[in-house]
Amino acid sequence: MCDASLQSYTSFRIGGPAEVLVEPADVDDLCRVVAQARAEKIPIFVVGGTNLLVRDGGIRGMVISLGKFKGIRQEPDHVLYAEGGVGMPTLIGYAVRRSLAGLEWGAGIPGTVAGCVVMNAGTRLGEMKDSVKAVRMIDPRGRVVDISAADIPFSYRRAHLPRGIVAGVWLQLRPGDHEQIEKTVKEYLQYRKDTQPLTLPSAGCVFKNPPQDSAGRLVEAAGLKGARIGDAQVSEKHANFMVNVGHARAEDVLALIKNVRAAVKKKSGVTLELELKVVGQA
Ligand code: EPU
């Protein structure tokens, strides 16, 4: 697909078009596409849902969506293999039905498994690195490479992976009490529904939490809850979320980010670091 809108490929529902958008059918197809792009010197970008802002000018080169990578299977010893495009809610539902514990922390995270691995998604209860056993990647030459978690340095909101595309992940879970797992997931989902704007398009948390503090608390203290530029708004519910209340442009979000950072710096002396990944052309 050429000049394809990326709005429906991001949870923010914002952003310009992809010069070329490709949705490989499976790993073999993905390997072929990657090898071909390399041969033709076409840059590749993988879109995957949350914590992403695509600028209004869109993305040049080839954008790959893992929208068809939706398989999950159970392997021995309480291991699940999930393809990169599987949504976290789907994966958690699958684990809960099999009484497998370990992913409850992710209840309500809307991202894909691949996205959550790449950014080591996490909450107060846990993070991706706690469960990752190994990652299946497609390297820049289009070859399948499996990497053990022991060889992946993880840090706050980042997995230090070699260049390539996360095609799938093995997760080491543990047998648990079905009712207890379900209860934890439900309670956590409720907490998120109560405290986060889950019904409006957003990109999750915009800023990283500074050490020992909360970006949401700092933005609220700077008086910016509800602040708006165009259709981009600092959420009234959680100040570390920005929501798209209509047809927000990336430009509006970026202007709002600038204002928020300046106000927080002035009020608290803290420089907020972006958790949101900004990509594409202005
Ligand atoms: N707070 C405010 N005002 C706000 C929002 C929060 O004062 O507008 C205060 C709360 O009252 C609370 C504290 O800040 O005392 C922490 O708030 P919360 O429990 O909502 O957690 P958070 O630190 O703001 C983190 C993750 C979220 C994750 C939640 C829930 C980061 C940057 N954020 O938020 O992750 O959903 O915990 O576990 O790590 C994301 O990564 O995209 C994300 C949203």
Side-chain angles (χ1 to χ4, degrees):
M1 241 188 300
C2 290
D3 260 341
S5 168
L6 287 173
Q7 294 190 357
S8 58
Y9 290 83
T10 72
S11 59
F12 227 152
R13 302 278 179 263
I14 293 176
E19 196 175 356
V20 179
L21 179 67
V22 181
E23 259 194 321
D26 52 28
V27 168
D28 289 344
D29 201 13
L30 176 57
C31 290
R32 262 195 306 276
V33 165
V34 169
Q36 196 184 341
R38 184 183 171 92
E40 292 173 26
K41 296 193 169 56
I42 299 171
I44 287 179
F45 179 79
V46 182
V47 266
T50 41
N51 281 123
L52 180 71
L53 176 65
V54 177
R55 286 201 181 93
D56 301 310
I59 300 178
R60 295 213 185 108
M62 183 188 288
V63 175
I64 295 181
S65 157
L66 297 182
K68 294 196 173 131
F69 281 54
K70 298 286 190 198
I72 311 177
R73 62 174 188 262
Q74 183 164 4
E75 297 192 351
D77 301 324
H78 319 295
V79 171
L80 294 185
Y81 178 77
E83 292 188 313
V86 171
M88 277 302 274
T90 307
L91 177 64
I92 291 168
Y94 187 98
V96 171
R97 284 195 297 284
R98 284 159 184 79
S99 304
L100 293 172
L103 292 175
E104 296 88 314
W105 60 267
I109 287 192
T112 60
V113 172
C116 286
V117 170
V118 169
M119 66 165 302
N120 185 24
T123 64
R124 279 179 298 110
L125 287 190
E127 52 189 345
M128 208 64 193
K129 80 167 170 52
D130 305 335
S131 307
V132 172
K133 185 168 186 279
V135 176
R136 169 155 290 177
M137 295 195 68
I138 309 306
D139 78 4
R141 293 176 181 274
R143 298 172 301 199
V144 176
V145 185
D146 293 339
I147 306 167
S148 160
D151 296 324
I152 305 171
F154 286 96
S155 57
Y156 176 61
R157 300 296 165 268
R158 183 150 178 224
H160 301 261
L161 291 160
R163 282 184 59 215
I165 298 173
V166 174
V169 56
W170 284 270
L171 298 151
Q172 178 66 63
L173 303 182
R174 48 180 198 279
D177 175 66
H178 183 79
E179 270 168 34
Q180 186 53 50
I181 298 173
E182 201 166 38
K183 186 165 166 270
T184 309
V185 165
K186 277 195 181 142
E187 279 174 6
Y188 208 48
L189 198 52
Q190 193 57 49
Y191 172 74
R192 289 172 57 96
K193 276 185 187 154
D194 291 344
T195 58
Q196 299 181 359
L198 301 187
T199 54
L200 285 169
S202 83
C205 285
V206 174
F207 301 104
K208 293 180 183 174
N209 278 340
Q212 323 302 330
D213 208 338
S214 155
R217 191 193 71 74
L218 291 168
V219 177
E220 180 166 357
L224 282 172
K225 233 175 180 173
R228 186 167 163 173
I229 294 181
D231 278 345
Q233 187 180 33
V234 175
S235 165
E236 309 259 12
K237 214 165 183 181
H238 193 301
N240 195 14
F241 279 69
M242 288 184 187
V243 288
N244 177 2
V245 294
H247 301 283
R249 296 173 57 78
E251 198 186 343
D252 303 329
V253 176
L254 292 168
L256 199 51
I257 286 173
K258 204 170 163 202
N259 288 357
V260 166
R261 285 177 109 171
V264 168
K265 178 80 184 165
K266 193 163 173 223
K267 173 81 185 175
S268 320
V270 176
T271 304
L272 288 178
E273 241 186 86
L274 270 190
E275 174 167 310
L276 186 71
K277 193 172 166 203
V278 182
V279 297
Q281 320 286 318

